Amino acid sequence: MAILVYTENFDGKFKKSTYELISYGKEIAKVENSEVVAVTIGTVDAGVLNELSKYGASKIISVKNAELNDFSSQAHASAIVQAAKKVNADVVIFANNPNGKAISSRVAVKMDAGLVPAAVGIPSSLAPFTVRKKAFSGKAFADMVITSDVKVLTLTQNSFKVIEAPVTAVLEDFNAEISADMFGAKPVEVVKTTGKLSVTDAEILVSGGRGLKGPENWGMVEEMAEILGAATCCSRPVTDLDWRPHHEHVGQTGKVVAPNLYIAIGISGAVQHLAGVNGSKVMVVINTDKDAPFFESANYGIVGDAFDVVPKLNAAFKKFKAGN
Amino acid sequence: MKALICIGHVPDTTSKIRFTDNDTKFDTTDIQYIIGPYEELGLTRLLDIKDAGTDLHITAINVGKEETEATLRKALAMGADEAVRVNADATDAFFVAKQIAEVFKTGGYDFIVTGKESIDYNGGQVDGMIAEILGLPSVTGATKFEIEGNGAKMEREIDGGKEVVVASFPFVTSAGKDFAKEPRIPGMRGIMAARRKTLDVKEPVAQVLKTNVSKHFLPESKPACKLVSPDNVEELVRLLHEEAKII
Ligand SMILES: Cc1cc2nc3c(=O)[nH]c(=O)nc-3n(C[C@H](O)[C@H](O)[C@H](O)COP(=O)(O)OP(=O)(O)OC[C@H]3O[C@@H](n4cnc5c(N)ncnc54)[C@H](O)[C@@H]3O)c2cc1C
Ligand SMILES: Nc1ncnc2c1ncn2[C@@H]1O[C@H](COP(=O)(O)O)[C@@H](O)[C@H]1O
């Protein structure tokens, strides 16, 4: 038996969320008394691959087929299943991100397995295999039981911490059998949003709503993000009005995020907005209206005018950062 | 051209969530059901394409018991040409995908559209499962969709950017945000016309269930929000540092 973790690389590098996955897999492996095997697709330096062993991956399979440089959920799923069968994996774990979602559902079908997407914690029991997930857009949780022999999971980002558990890993190259007919959907162009920290990777988010009145007022929001090492995001009307780019839209119809700290400025806190952000560990709201629904969900709040509070808060954050 | 659009029957986004039967089942008392918001965008986009003059026949499909028919009728009222209901409880994504794949096989469809995820159990699994069962390519979480030649050109969000993807028929795609701008609202004419459209009921094919829900939980209620005076913002910084230990 083995726990197989798909460790997606981004231009040859791993993200913190990848190490969360390995740590999560390691936790299950301890209970099951098996090992964690990582599988990665594409060219990654041995030194970078070895980072995975720091968190407990004792075998690292590197799939190097050149044709897999183009993303195809069909081909990627096939390669991962070949690796899973080779190591006799009984649990296969993915990140709950766009590619993880696209591949995991196919892997479940190929392995005749049940899938629990967006898991939020380690299984409470291995027999029956029971794991908790978010449901009803974050308004509830469900304990799901998987009854098939093989279990497939995707893990919600930021829901399990990175734990160091160093081992010596075996690195293995693997040539998967891939056929041309697995590329029926072909990426013809990839556009990267470069430079800035992405909304889903950031541990702190500073978010603005319609209360900020117009795009010209985002300077203080960006300044706060800069001071805190955060990313900026916003409510839906803000992107609908083209005040901010679409990739910053969070909420039920936008990105679902789970940062450590979410600071909402001039956002009312509609259910559809909260659905995307209520996984945050700590939420702060700044709003002129003491009855804004956001105050019911937030941990800390300031009833006040953003145009007064935010500059003062920025100065206070700056002072704090300088002293730490 | 023929499209199959998968319509989920989900609680309205503002619903109060409660459970019954020892927290094993969702309490449907007083719940308003709607078309899943993502497949609603999917259907809207297909209708826009059709209205622009493309010859497109749209079949709405749902796996569900009789109570889901009102939701399917709403899809017909929006403008879908016909509907199919597979008469079974939809409790497991694999089961649902199998039923939809089965209908696809016999209907001469060119492509399947689902929503990016349902808003009840938030899976985002059905599209990939249908595609794998049928051996078709798929584009998960598409944000743009254009018919192009003998297939479609789509955009999808990826971690840290986006991807332009082309696929020839047949294929599966799941609609994410921006697939269409605003969902179409059925008018009186649409609602009248929907009554005369075909809603075919099919019996399910066998498929072993692979998952079930053993229990539901509501999130622990958060302690009340701590208010800080706008004239003492340093206090907020202190709380975030010393109490929440987050900065
Ligand atoms: C199906 C559906 C899906 C949706 N999906 C999303 C989604 O994904 N994400 C999302 O965000 N919304 C979504 N919405 C919209 C949602 O219902 C709300 O309309 C939206 O979140 C409101 O955005 P807002 O809080 O920025 O604006 P408003 O509701 O206009 O709130 C502005 C707030 O700013 C405060 N304010 C005003 N001036 C100041 C000031 N000077 N200083 C401080 N505060 C001030 C006001 O008191 C108010 O509370 C969806 C709606 C539907 C129906
Ligand atoms: N019972 C169902 N009948 C028809 N389509 C469904 C059903 N359940 C889910 N779907 C479709 O599959 C998409 C993804 O669902 P899920 O994998 O449950 O998140 C939804 O947005 C729907 O388009």
Side-chain angles (χ1 to χ4, degrees), chain B residues 113-163:
Chain B
V113 179
T114 75
K116 184 183 81 160
E117 65 175 25
S118 60
I119 57 165
D120 45 7
Y121 291 96
N122 306 91
Q125 340 173 34
V126 166
D127 62 303
M129 286 183 175
I130 298 172
E132 190 61 36
I133 292 169
L134 292 167
L136 297 182
S138 59
V139 179
T140 294
T143 51
K144 277 203 182 128
F145 183 89
E146 299 288 345
I147 297 289
E148 214 179 75
N150 195 33
K153 184 172 175 181
M154 289 158 269
E155 259 180 43
R156 74 181 271 263
E157 253 180 34
I158 52 174
D159 229 353
K162 63 180 183 185
E163 202 171 64

Side-chain angles (χ1 to χ4, degrees), chain A:
Chain A
M1 279 193 309
I3 312 288
L4 188 77
V5 178
Y6 172 55
T7 50
E8 181 178 4
N9 73 82
F10 302 86
D11 296 324
K13 295 199 189 71
F14 296 120
K15 293 187 183 179
K16 180 178 152 253
S17 54
T18 313
Y19 305 132
E20 287 173 8
L21 292 178
I22 298 282
S23 294
Y24 180 82
K26 181 70 184 177
E27 209 62 24
I28 304 176
K30 273 197 250 168
V31 183
E32 185 185 80
N33 205 6
S34 68
E35 62 166 344
V36 177
V37 181
V39 56
T40 185
I41 295 176
T43 319
V44 182
D45 290 340
V48 177
L49 285 176
N50 249 322
E51 284 286 299
L52 300 171
S53 66
K54 249 210 219 136
Y55 309 98
S58 51
K59 184 182 250 184
I60 299 160
I61 299 178
S62 196
V63 181
K64 294 223 164 116
N65 301 50
E67 59 271 40
L68 292 174
N69 288 339
D70 273 343
F71 180 75
S72 154
S73 58
Q74 228 172 338
H76 279 58
S78 172
I80 292 165
V81 168
Q82 289 171 46
K85 294 210 162 130
K86 193 171 132 79
V87 300
N88 193 21
D90 62 329
V91 180
V92 188
I93 301 170
F94 295 86
N96 192 45
N97 66 9
N99 287 353
K101 284 187 217 177
I103 305 169
S104 57
S105 47
R106 289 184 176 271
V107 167
V109 170
K110 278 185 183 299
M111 302 192 79
D112 207 24
L115 164 63
V116 171
V120 292
I122 63 156
S124 56
S125 138
L126 293 187
F129 193 95
T130 311
V131 64
R132 190 161 297 178
K133 76 180 297 298
K134 279 192 198 176
F136 300 96
S137 306
K139 286 192 271 185
F141 295 96
D143 275 357
M144 301 272 301
V145 175
I146 307 183
T147 49
S148 51
D149 293 340
V150 176
K151 286 92 183 167
V152 181
L153 304 174
T154 71
L155 180 67
T156 303
Q157 203 168 332
N158 223 346
S159 60
F160 197 78
K161 56 184 181 304
V162 174
I163 305 167
E164 288 201 12
V167 289
T168 314
V170 182
L171 261 57
E172 194 178 300
D173 283 352
F174 181 65
N175 201 41
E177 272 178 46
I178 299 295
S179 58
D181 63 3
M182 293 175 187
F183 293 86
K186 229 180 168 31
V188 289
E189 196 190 337
V190 177
V191 187
K192 296 247 164 81
T193 30
T194 44
K196 289 209 168 165
L197 186 60
S198 86
V199 173
T200 40
D201 285 339
E203 296 192 6
I204 300 179
L205 288 173
V206 183
S207 189
R210 197 152 51 184
L212 288 174
K213 314 279 190 296
E216 67 280 7
N217 297 325
W218 246 262
M220 58 184 188
V221 176
E222 289 187 331
E223 190 190 347
M224 188 185 291
E226 176 87 39
I227 299 166
L228 296 174
T232 53
C233 58
C234 63
S235 67
R236 175 160 128 181
V238 168
T239 54
D240 284 352
L241 291 161
D242 272 334
W243 294 357
R244 299 296 294 174
H246 277 272
H247 62 81
E248 287 197 1
H249 162 198
V250 298
Q252 183 197 298
T253 45
K255 290 205 171 74
V256 175
V257 293
N260 287 328
L261 175 60
Y262 185 82
I263 303 178
I265 306 169
I267 300 176
S268 58
V271 278
Q272 297 89 357
H273 183 83
L274 294 175
V277 304
N278 58 13
S280 309
K281 295 232 163 70
V282 172
M283 296 204 283
V284 172
V285 56
I286 299 166
N287 197 307
T288 41
D289 176 8
K290 68 169 180 20
D291 295 322
F294 219 124
F295 285 103
E296 276 162 44
S297 303
N299 305 75
Y300 303 101
I302 296 181
V303 179
D305 185 339
F307 297 98
D308 164 49
V309 172
V310 174
K312 285 199 285 192
L313 194 53
N314 282 349
F317 277 139
K318 229 186 228 160
K319 203 169 120 202
F320 166 78
K321 285 282 172 185
N324 269 268

Side-chain angles (χ1 to χ4, degrees), chain B residues 31-49:
Chain B
I31 297 289
Q32 288 268 64
Y33 280 88
I34 57 168
I35 297 177
Y38 294 107
E39 50 269 32
E40 194 179 28
L41 292 179
L43 175 55
T44 299
R45 179 72 194 125
L46 295 182
L47 293 168
D48 288 347
I49 289 170

